[in-house]
Amino acid sequence: MSKKMTKKLVIANWKMNPVSGKEAESLFKTIVKNLPTLKNTEVIICPPLIFLDKLFKIRTTKIKLGAQNSFWGEKGAFTGEISAGMLELLKIKYVILGHSERRALGETNLEISKKIKAILSVGLIPILCVGDKERDENHEYFNFVKVQVEECLNGINKELLSKVIIAYEPVWALSTTENRKNASSSDSHEMNIFIKKILTDKFGVNRELPRIIYGGSVNEKNILDFIMNGGIDGVLVGGASLDSKKFLEIVRVTESI
Ligand code: PEP
């Protein structure tokens, strides 16, 4: 069986930034204008929901848009929530789910699993975030990630498994974590192999697996190392995605490999 050629992913998580539509538009336009021709890389930007429509209207084939969360129910008495079907109306393709910042607000693996199923059911692509909060001497962190992957993907339609993107994001390495530490490309590589093992144990060896990307303080300086040696299909970029120069350099380096 020939190996399917897949593009590397560079996904921007803007989180709750920038604070105005004008700034969001300006950042997006600068990125669109300066993006090189892309053959090997898919660029996805996940802005706050409120800016999605505005950015969609800046028509470009170079960038796909995504959301940062969604809800599992289809409709009804869920104040403040947005369903997968409603996101589909915004013509986006990707949805980040289970980000550690949402988990810190109380989101559970069970809820994330329901959200993943809802997103897949409308044909969108979930970007499932998993990641250890800390590294311990007994290597319990492996088990922590294993439980996250297993529980979040529990009961998923196996035919849709390959649509999922898994972002390994060690919380201790995120740029916003207090007393953060640098994760290395070998940390990423090791966890990538481990996640693939969890997936093959759970779903069988003959399945096309989710793509696995890395996130945690990726910037224009370390991107080469992560892409070359991290064993990954791409990166999820937080802080550095809000700086057009840094983000464009991350894309340029990824495309050059
Ligand atoms: C994130 O929080 O998803 C992330 C990748 O953040 P940063 O790149 O800022 O560490």
Side-chain angles (χ1 to χ4, degrees):
M1 200 165 58
S2 67
K3 194 172 177 325
K4 208 169 94 186
M5 284 296 292
T6 50
K7 293 185 178 186
K8 290 264 186 287
L9 298 160
V10 177
I11 307 178
N13 176 10
W14 282 6
K15 309 191 182 189
M16 206 168 70
N17 301 292
V19 291
S20 72
K22 214 170 164 186
E23 285 169 273
E25 203 173 8
S26 156
L27 176 58
F28 191 79
K29 279 186 174 162
T30 307
I31 294 170
V32 172
K33 193 168 147 224
N34 295 290
L35 266 183
T37 306
L38 299 173
K39 290 206 179 98
N40 316 314
T41 313
E42 192 168 343
V43 177
I44 298 152
I45 293 185
C46 304
L49 203 60
I50 185 87
F51 304 141
L52 271 172
D53 191 44
K54 197 186 242 318
L55 300 189
F56 180 74
K57 286 185 180 131
I58 305 168
R59 296 200 167 268
T60 172
T61 52
K62 290 180 173 174
I63 298 176
K64 304 260 170 24
L65 289 167
Q68 299 173 14
N69 185 30
S70 73
F71 190 62
W72 43 264
E74 277 176 39
K75 62 174 190 170
F78 301 109
T79 304
E81 299 290 358
I82 305 277
S83 72
M86 290 167 182
L87 285 180
E88 201 201 354
L89 298 177
L90 287 169
K91 302 201 173 60
I92 60 161
K93 201 169 163 203
Y94 298 86
V95 184
I96 296 174
L97 292 173
H99 192 278
S100 57
E101 286 154 15
R102 298 209 54 82
R103 290 176 187 266
L105 295 173
E107 196 166 272
T108 64
N109 289 333
L110 179 63
E111 284 166 321
I112 296 161
S113 157
K114 285 159 84 173
K115 291 179 177 193
I116 291 174
K117 286 176 199 133
I119 285 299
L120 286 172
S121 76
V122 298
L124 300 183
I125 297 177
I127 302 161
L128 163 64
C129 298
V130 296
D132 37 320
K133 290 188 201 147
E134 55 186 10
R135 291 272 156 130
D136 59 300
E137 281 176 9
N138 300 325
H139 300 101
E140 260 309 301
Y141 61 90
F142 279 117
N143 199 44
F144 187 84
V145 173
K146 182 169 186 270
V147 170
Q148 285 185 328
V149 173
E150 287 182 343
E151 290 189 356
C152 290
L153 296 180
N154 229 356
I156 186 183
N157 178 344
K158 289 183 185 165
E159 302 306 319
L160 298 177
L161 180 66
S162 65
K163 301 260 177 259
V164 178
I165 296 166
I166 297 181
Y168 170 57
E169 297 211 295
V171 179
W172 48 270
L174 295 183
S175 67
T176 45
T177 297
E178 213 178 315
N179 302 321
R180 61 167 296 280
K181 296 197 180 74
N182 279 328
S184 65
S185 54
S186 45
D187 292 324
S188 155
H189 204 167
E190 177 184 58
M191 198 50 89
N192 189 292
I193 293 168
F194 181 65
I195 292 173
K196 282 193 181 124
K197 162 106 177 62
I198 301 167
L199 294 168
T200 47
D201 285 351
K202 189 170 169 65
F203 296 103
V205 278
N206 292 326
R207 300 237 161 244
E208 201 183 320
L209 295 179
R211 284 176 285 174
I212 303 176
I213 63 175
Y214 168 79
S217 299
V218 170
N219 59 39
E220 74 289 6
K221 297 195 183 96
N222 60 25
I223 180 68
L224 183 63
D225 185 29
F226 275 113
I227 288 288
M228 296 275 287
N229 308 314
I232 43 175
D233 297 303
V235 285
L236 181 54
V237 188
S241 71
L242 294 165
D243 180 318
S244 59
K245 279 210 179 92
K246 290 182 183 173
F247 187 67
L248 284 160
E249 181 60 8
I250 290 169
V251 175
R252 193 194 62 73
V253 171
T254 305
E255 173 68 13
S256 71
I257 291 160

